[in-house]
Amino acid sequence: MIETRRRVLEGGYANAEAWIDLAKRAEAVGFTPQTWLIFRQSLEPAYLKDRFPSHPENMPKRRGNGGVETVVVDPEDFSEWPWLFEAGYRAGEATWQALAR
């Protein structure tokens, strides 16, 4: 994960093929590697899961990277987030707005 983080912060993609596909999908809706990382970190507070039924933690688990059942975050479900962030919303505010839709 440290190597993946380094690559993302340098503006590149992770090295796992499934993550490259995810990165390209995220990029298609306006995320950069840096804003995807910020967005994902902004989803972490536990109270968001409890407050918003649309939080990815509340969705059925699916097979993610490596074929393991996990929470999958689809960038297409949060396509307004990059626009909100670029418009000046703080990361947490943009996430709150995206989850409240």
Side-chain angles (χ1 to χ4, degrees):
M1 292 310 294
I2 292 171
E3 180 63 16
T4 297
R5 183 178 186 279
R6 182 188 65 75
R7 286 180 190 226
V8 167
L9 292 175
E10 290 175 354
Y13 295 118
N15 55 359
E17 191 168 318
W19 289 2
I20 292 171
D21 176 62
L22 175 64
K24 288 180 179 179
R25 289 175 40 225
E27 202 169 49
V29 297
F31 285 99
T32 66
Q34 292 84 3
T35 58
W36 181 253
L37 178 64
I38 293 166
F39 165 66
R40 288 303 307 267
Q41 290 172 337
S42 74
L43 282 174
E44 290 179 7
Y47 69 87
L48 291 175
K49 176 186 172 189
D50 296 335
R51 184 164 189 125
F52 295 102
S54 62
H55 192 284
E57 290 276 346
N58 295 322
M59 302 301 152
K61 293 191 184 320
R62 296 182 292 173
R63 293 209 184 275
N65 296 330
V68 176
E69 293 256 332
T70 188
V71 172
V72 176
V73 180
D74 289 318
E76 298 84 2
D77 293 343
F78 296 95
S79 60
E80 69 273 20
W81 193 96
W83 180 84
L84 292 167
F85 190 68
E86 290 283 323
Y89 282 78
R90 292 183 180 157
E93 294 170 325
T95 300
W96 187 279
Q97 292 294 322
L99 289 169
R101 60 169 157 51

